[in-house]
Amino acid sequence: MVYSLATVVDLVNTGAGERDGLAEVADLAEFVGRREVSGVRTLTRRDLAEVRALREAFHAVFTAPDQTTAVRVLNTLLGRTRITPSLTEHDGHPLHVHYFAPDASVAEHLAADCGVALAHVLVENERERLRTCAAPDCSHVFVDESRNRSRVYCDSRTCGNRMHVAAYRARARRRDAS
Ligand SMILES: [Zn+2]
Ligand SMILES: [Zn+2]
């Protein structure tokens, strides 16, 4: 796994759709494949329950009302996770750092690597980049990587466009009415 922040976003957003994206062990297997989570053994219902609990904790970091709360949630998570950094190259990815222990469960793997990625965001005082979509019927989270930190929708091609169209129609209606 290389890009851990994208994995956190993907994980949290499995809980934001119409259907729970982690309802079954098969969903977890699909997620693990999609995110290229390496070194995963046969997945069980226990793994599913642990990853679902982890999803809640990560969501709480995104929606924390302030830095102190975000730090507390993340520290609780990291405090019960074994972390052993090692440099690695695998599956065609360039050299990167793994943080999970060699025999980690999938939940512990995600807690270590995604937890460290989120920790760096907080340390760099960039918590405001951890956002929830501004569209009223959408609760997806995202990391705002725009230079001026102006992004408000989870995905400019869907929610962003949808909201622009809605605003345009509202303006058009006001024009027609006047
Ligand atoms: Zn990796
Ligand atoms: Zn959205």
Side-chain angles (χ1 to χ4, degrees):
M1 183 167 56
V2 174
Y3 187 32
S4 301
L5 270 184
T7 300
V8 183
V9 167
D10 194 349
L11 175 59
V12 172
N13 284 341
T14 61
E18 278 176 22
R19 177 189 174 276
D20 189 331
L22 285 180
E24 308 287 343
V25 173
D27 297 322
L28 180 58
E30 205 274 321
F31 176 83
V32 161
R34 180 166 81 232
R35 300 315 316 183
E36 301 184 51
V37 184
S38 46
V40 174
R41 297 166 304 212
T42 307
L43 295 166
T44 63
R45 293 206 65 81
R46 182 178 170 171
D47 289 316
L48 180 67
E50 288 174 355
V51 173
R52 288 173 60 95
L54 183 65
R55 177 174 72 178
E56 290 307 307
F58 283 145
H59 187 239
V61 174
F62 271 81
T63 56
D66 50 52
Q67 177 95 330
T68 309
T69 310
V71 167
R72 184 168 43 76
V73 172
L74 201 51
N75 264 344
T76 303
L77 181 81
L78 291 171
R80 54 172 189 247
T81 304
R82 294 169 300 154
I83 294 182
T84 56
S86 73
L87 292 150
T88 179
E89 267 175 303
H90 64 90
D91 299 318
H93 296 298
L95 191 66
H96 58 286
V97 182
H98 279 173
Y99 292 98
F100 59 93
D103 61 340
S105 68
V106 63
E108 204 174 23
H109 178 144
L110 291 168
D113 281 58
C114 297
V116 168
L118 278 177
H120 283 297
V121 172
L122 298 189
V123 165
E124 284 152 25
N125 206 20
E126 297 197 320
R127 192 177 64 87
E128 64 173 62
R129 287 186 191 268
L130 307 178
R131 303 240 171 102
T132 303
C133 182
D137 54 349
C138 180
S139 52
H140 281 84
V141 300
F142 63 94
V143 178
D144 181 6
E145 301 194 88
S146 66
R147 196 171 301 175
N148 55 2
R149 307 187 186 190
S150 59
R151 196 174 147 201
V152 291
Y153 301 117
C154 64
D155 182 335
S156 54
R157 284 166 305 175
T158 54
C159 275
N161 273 347
R162 206 155 52 81
M163 296 306 288
H164 287 141
V165 168
Y168 175 82
R169 291 206 179 118
R171 280 197 301 274
R173 268 199 304 275
R174 280 198 297 274
R175 258 200 318 277
D176 289 347
S178 60

